[in-house]
Amino acid sequence: MQGVLTELRKTFSNVVAVDDGSEDGSAAEIMKAGAVLVRHAVNLGAGAAMETGLAYALAQPGATYFVTFDADGQHQVHDAAAMVALLRTGEIDVALGSRFIESGEAQGIPRSRRLLLQAGRRFESMTSGVSLTDAHCGLRAFNRAFAQQIRLKLRGMAHASELLDVLKRSGLRYREVPVTVLYTAYSMKKGQKSINSVNIAMDVWLHQLFSRRAGR
Amino acid sequence: MSVIKAILVVAIVAAALWALRHRENVGLRAGGRLLLFAVGALAIVSVAVPDITQKAADAVGVQRGTDLVLYGLIITFVFTSAGLYFRQRDLEYRFATLTRALAIHQAVEPADLTGSIPELPDSTA
């Protein structure tokens, strides 16, 4: 992970890393890499960790563009840079990474995972009304207008779906950008199990059913 | 299944959805609590007069008194579970907000050479 952060710091001067209550050496690695260390006292899950990182970044004066980047080495720094460049043109407010859009790549992806992600995509476009080629890519870039609207209530990986919900309601302009995602042994080990998709689907569905008017 | 049964089932589902969407409504919560008292009173009555569940079942066209009690139990269980699910989720969100505020407060910036890694609370305590 330290390598990922060091690599990021070569292109992006302000890097915030959220340690989600881990007891291994993550916090020390983050400090060595020269990133801002924000440490959850207890484990809260990926969605909450992302929101924490954004909350910290939003509090920094002058922060205009925000990138979410997985620290396990599956994303490429140049992809993130290309997304920010696209935001700078002012054509869009949100850039979403996609492995499956033309010229995007998912290297070493197991066939089962590919099928599952495609099923997830169909579920996503049904429930959120946002039609994407890749619903669960962790690499995204967006401007302040979108960052400020992100409030995630769903635990676990369902936050990716909830984020699309926020995106749809915001009415902001978005585009998918082809990215390369590396499926390394490390990222597969740190990543989620396929069966978790059942939990994700259930959470999203319940959320959609009951939370419309109750507000967030 | 007769038409009236279908209508009843649909009505129960609709009422459940409506109640859960408006779960923050004060009147509804008060109603729920009053209902709890009513159920408690009914339980006492049915212990004192065991035949009464059968009579109630006959009155609404259910075959056995125990079935009627079972239906009531199922509906109560569903509502209670759903209520607890949402309450737990709201609590989790508050908990996350608190942890987030703490984490940002203790954030260590790279330039801050005196900064040390924020300690995790002792989970074994």
Side-chain angles (χ1 to χ4, degrees):
Chain A
M1 182 182 66
Q2 194 181 332
V4 175
L5 292 174
T6 311
E7 204 53 38
L8 262 174
R9 295 244 306 127
K10 287 180 190 161
T11 308
F12 299 98
S13 48
N14 301 303
V15 177
V16 182
V18 181
D19 174 357
D20 193 20
S22 58
E23 310 231 7
D24 55 11
S26 298
E29 278 190 53
I30 291 169
M31 284 183 78
K32 272 188 230 152
V36 177
L37 166 64
V38 186
R39 191 174 206 202
H40 281 166
V42 292
N43 180 275
L44 293 178
M50 185 184 96
E51 202 180 320
T52 297
L54 286 174
Y56 181 90
L58 275 165
Q60 309 310 306
T64 318
Y65 301 110
F66 305 83
V67 176
T68 64
F69 197 96
D70 290 0
D72 60 4
Q74 60 168 296
H75 299 318
Q76 317 303 308
V77 177
H78 62 85
D79 282 336
M83 289 167 121
V84 173
L86 189 58
L87 290 179
R88 281 190 201 281
T89 65
E91 286 171 34
I92 51 167
D93 304 295
V94 182
L96 303 164
S98 171
R99 288 157 270 201
F100 303 122
I101 201 172
E102 213 173 323
S103 80
E105 248 184 289
Q107 286 180 11
I109 185 173
R111 191 179 155 74
S112 61
R113 181 54 69 96
R114 180 184 289 272
L115 289 173
L116 181 68
L117 282 164
Q118 281 164 358
R121 191 190 75 202
R122 274 191 286 276
F123 176 76
E124 220 69 66
S125 66
M126 251 164 40
T127 53
S128 74
V130 175
S131 183
L132 298 174
T133 60
D134 186 359
H136 280 256
C137 184
L139 181 54
R140 313 173 184 91
F142 37 83
N143 59 16
R144 195 166 260 273
F146 184 61
Q148 279 167 338
Q149 295 188 31
I150 298 175
R151 296 274 183 283
L152 303 173
K153 279 202 163 185
L154 296 185
R155 272 183 74 85
M157 293 308 283
H159 73 271
S161 314
E162 203 181 356
L163 198 68
L164 296 186
D165 218 36
V166 176
L167 179 59
K168 179 158 185 242
R169 271 188 246 182
S170 72
L172 292 168
R173 301 156 302 165
Y174 63 92
R175 190 186 298 165
E176 282 193 295
V177 177
V179 298
T180 303
V181 172
L182 298 178
Y183 280 76
T184 59
Y186 180 73
S187 73
M188 286 298 280
K189 186 168 79 81
K190 295 292 274 187
Q192 37 171 346
K193 294 196 169 63
S194 294
I195 189 69
N196 195 30
S197 56
V198 175
N199 296 328
I200 297 174
M202 200 67 196
D203 279 344
V204 171
W205 182 71
L206 277 171
H207 183 69
Q208 296 259 330
L209 205 56
F210 295 121
S211 299
R212 277 276 179 257
R213 240 162 298 167
R216 9 181 113 213
Chain B
M1 197 160 75
S2 63
V3 178
I4 184 67
K5 282 182 185 167
I7 291 173
L8 278 173
V9 168
V10 171
I12 290 171
V13 172
L17 280 176
W18 184 82
L20 288 172
R21 278 191 181 202
H22 295 82
R23 59 186 180 277
E24 270 138 48
N25 181 314
V26 178
L28 264 181
R29 277 195 315 209
R33 277 161 204 184
L34 289 178
L35 206 65
L36 197 71
F37 278 110
V39 168
L42 277 177
I44 293 169
V45 171
S46 67
V47 169
V49 194
D51 296 346
I52 204 159
T53 53
Q54 186 59 56
K55 283 185 184 132
D58 292 339
V60 296
V62 174
Q63 205 124 65
R64 299 189 307 167
T66 45
D67 288 347
L68 185 68
V69 174
L70 183 65
Y71 295 157
L73 193 64
I74 290 171
I75 290 174
T76 316
F77 176 73
V78 167
F79 270 87
T80 311
S81 312
L84 283 175
Y85 170 84
F86 284 109
R87 185 188 285 197
Q88 188 189 327
R89 231 188 52 182
D90 290 344
L91 269 176
E92 273 173 0
Y93 187 69
R94 286 170 172 232
F95 179 64
T97 308
L98 181 65
T99 305
R100 177 165 303 130
L102 184 69
I104 290 173
H105 185 70
Q106 296 183 329
V108 186
E109 301 197 18
D112 184 8
L113 292 173
T114 57
S116 56
I117 298 172
E119 299 269 332
L120 295 184
D122 187 2
S123 54
T124 55

